[in-house]
Amino acid sequence: PNFSLSAHKDVLRQMAAAMGAPAEPFVEGWLNTFEERATGIFPTARENLEAVCRTLNISPAEHQYAAAVQMRLDYEKLHIVPRATALVTLRAIKSLGLKTCLVSDCSPELPLIWNETPFARWFDATVFSCCVKLRKPNPKLYLEACRQVGVPPAECVDVGGGGSRELSGATQV
């Protein structure tokens, strides 16, 4: 499931406190930089934190940055939990001999922890927006997924929740 906005803001406030940043301006600054995280402009959480802190005119110490980065990573790990039927569905898809590729608009933490998730073994490939520097619905994301699994677009099916105009992007391809 997607992050709950209130829980996400709570962890952002904790990150702000760890760095000595004013909570609400930090939360706003972080949320306003999703595009940069998701397209690899900030290739690490640390670089994103530094940019937000520069706009707030604060200079946290190294240990403060490290603590905030760890909080962010822990939060990401906590929320990569499959829905009840997700793994059963993926197992059924794989049992049919079909290839799978995850296409995700995400920040740099997901690629870092991907292999630790219960999902990793069920996907033949991944296309993370922060790595390819493009977001849904850009057709290049879907074409990259097709390339990675070696399947022509006309023989692919996109399964998604519909966020980020992903369904229209996949249909276009």
Side-chain angles (χ1 to χ4, degrees):
N2 288 329
F3 295 157
S4 133
L5 184 56
S6 63
H8 190 199
K9 285 183 175 182
D10 286 345
V11 79
L12 292 174
R13 288 183 190 103
Q14 293 168 24
M15 290 165 62
M19 293 188 304
E24 295 316 309
F26 176 84
V27 168
E28 182 179 336
W30 184 268
L31 294 177
N32 287 339
T33 56
F34 176 71
E35 182 73 20
E36 290 85 353
R37 277 190 303 286
T39 57
I41 292 171
F42 296 133
T44 66
R46 168 65 185 253
E47 288 173 82
N48 196 167
L49 289 169
E50 290 171 348
V52 172
C53 289
R54 274 193 305 275
T55 66
L56 299 175
N57 229 6
I58 63 167
S59 300
E62 182 59 39
H63 73 279
Q64 291 173 300
Y65 276 120
V69 166
Q70 190 61 53
M71 287 177 195
R72 174 74 182 159
L73 194 55
D74 291 345
Y75 185 74
E76 184 84 23
K77 287 179 181 178
L78 185 67
H79 288 87
I80 299 295
V81 178
R83 292 186 175 132
T85 58
L87 298 180
V88 171
T89 302
L90 287 166
R91 189 171 331 158
I93 290 168
K94 294 303 292 176
S95 75
L96 297 171
L98 300 173
K99 294 188 178 182
T100 55
C101 181
L102 175 73
V103 178
S104 179
D105 279 348
C106 64
S107 59
E109 295 82 15
L110 183 57
L112 284 176
I113 65 170
W114 177 250
N115 289 331
E116 300 171 34
T117 72
F119 297 105
R121 67 181 280 203
W122 300 108
F123 287 90
D124 299 300
T126 56
V127 178
F128 297 120
S129 66
C130 61
C131 296
V132 297
K133 300 179 180 357
L134 300 167
R135 287 190 59 207
K136 298 173 190 175
N138 191 308
K140 292 178 183 175
L141 286 168
Y142 305 99
L143 292 170
E144 177 60 17
C146 294
R147 185 194 69 73
Q148 285 191 27
V149 294
V151 177
E155 295 179 24
C156 293
V157 174
D158 181 75
V159 178
S164 303
R165 299 185 329 252
E166 67 186 356
L167 301 176
S168 61
T171 299
Q172 180 183 357
V173 172

